Amino acid sequence: MSLTATYDPILSRIRLSADLLGATATRCVFWRTTNNFSSYVTVRGGWPVQVNSESAHLDDYEFEPGVPLTYRVQSYTDADLTAVATYDVTITQDVTEAWLKVPAAPYLNRAVTVVDRSDVTRRARRGLFDVVGRSNPVAVGDVASSIAYTVQLMTHTAAEESDLDHLFASGEIVFLQLPSTAQHMPGGYFAVGDTARRPTLRLSPRRLWDVPLTGVAAPGPEVVGSTYTWTSVLADYPTWADLLADNATWADLLERVGSASDVIVP
């Protein structure tokens, strides 16, 4: 096939690889649909994607688990955006555990253990104003605010605790991805409030986390993260010679995954 979709369980992403996009193609777009293109979205980072040697690649971290997904790639010439080639592929991929993902920094993506959650609230946007000479007040309001709740997570090791702490330290919008069978809590995009963690026992490495979540709009299409950053490069390689010795091409370098600690700015 000229477009393939495979699942990577390390970062919970669907890896899209296209070839035979045409000798004249210079850029392409990747779309995703769940209803045979009655409606569709551009995969984050999916336009424009550079075509090199008739090939292009993209990772989708924000797929909907457990439903048939159809991806389409369409390539174009640079001169007048004439379509050159179009290919489709369908994949159904579920997840077996909850994931906290960071669209702006996917190297921070982590599977998490959900222990419990609080009540889900939706704040009203309404004011009541008393009017002189009237018994009934006048109500002024708008659509209600987004949902909010606190999720309780557990980390089992010191390394898991450190990685999750770095994820929250990023200050970025998170995407909570849940298995298709999960009915106990809502997923989606959230802003994270003040987190707190405590040990389950005095000498145990396990920690219980209280993580306040408030629903927000998804980050805009201009937010495109990478699994490897220049901070990662500086942390991993003392010299350019070391970098070149460990990576034959730039593509090899970009395939690496940074450490969660790379988010910290000294």
Side-chain angles (χ1 to χ4, degrees):
M1 296 183 66
S2 297
L3 176 61
T4 60
T6 56
Y7 180 65
D8 168 31
I10 304 301
L11 291 177
S12 184
R13 57 183 170 175
I14 292 178
R15 312 212 71 183
L16 303 170
S17 181
D19 56 20
L20 301 178
L21 292 176
T24 61
T26 54
R27 66 180 76 179
C28 66
V29 58
F30 288 87
W31 292 302
R32 179 183 68 235
T33 182
T34 59
N35 55 19
N36 198 30
F37 286 93
S38 293
S39 61
Y40 57 91
V41 297
T42 303
V43 180
R44 185 175 301 279
W47 173 257
V49 178
Q50 185 175 359
V51 174
N52 293 309
S53 301
E54 298 191 51
S55 299
H57 308 275
L58 188 68
D59 293 330
D60 182 16
Y61 298 91
E62 297 158 78
F63 63 92
E64 184 177 351
V67 301
L69 305 168
T70 299
Y71 291 94
R72 174 172 293 172
V73 62
Q74 190 166 69
S75 59
Y76 301 91
T77 60
D78 215 11
D80 54 6
L81 290 184
T82 300
V84 178
T86 302
Y87 304 110
D88 291 356
V89 67
T90 298
I91 182 175
T92 301
Q93 180 63 55
D94 213 334
V95 293
T96 58
E97 51 197 338
W99 280 80
L100 271 179
K101 298 183 174 183
V102 183
Y107 62 89
L108 294 171
N109 293 359
R110 293 291 181 272
V112 292
T113 301
V114 177
V115 178
D116 200 358
R117 69 158 176 83
S118 69
D119 293 341
V120 177
T121 62
R122 187 182 293 274
R123 182 174 54 84
R125 293 171 173 168
R126 178 173 291 110
L128 298 178
F129 300 92
D130 291 325
V131 179
V132 174
R134 292 182 57 176
S135 299
N136 294 334
V138 172
V140 178
D142 198 354
V143 295
S145 187
S146 64
I147 62 170
Y149 66 96
T150 296
V151 62
Q152 189 175 72
L153 307 178
M154 178 179 286
T155 53
H156 300 83
T157 66
E160 288 182 4
E161 178 185 4
S162 176
D163 287 346
L164 193 58
D165 183 50
H166 286 131
L167 186 155
F168 295 138
S170 72
E172 299 286 354
I173 299 301
V174 300
F175 175 59
L176 177 59
Q177 185 184 57
L178 300 171
S180 62
T181 55
Q183 302 294 325
H184 60 287
M185 56 192 286
Y189 298 89
F190 296 94
V192 180
D194 297 338
T195 62
R197 62 187 185 267
R198 58 190 182 279
T200 57
L201 296 171
R202 184 180 298 272
L203 298 180
S204 172
R206 296 192 305 177
R207 299 289 184 269
L208 280 175
W209 295 70
D210 293 321
V211 183
L213 301 175
T214 301
V216 296
E222 72 281 357
V223 177
V224 180
S226 172
T227 61
Y228 206 65
T229 67
W230 283 113
T231 301
S232 307
V233 171
L234 294 174
D236 291 345
Y237 298 107
T239 68
W240 281 108
D242 294 324
L243 184 149
L244 295 173
D246 205 27
N247 301 275
T249 66
W250 284 112
D252 293 330
L253 184 67
L254 292 175
E255 278 296 299
R256 302 180 67 88
V257 177
S259 168
S261 61
D262 293 342
V263 74
I264 300 299
V265 180

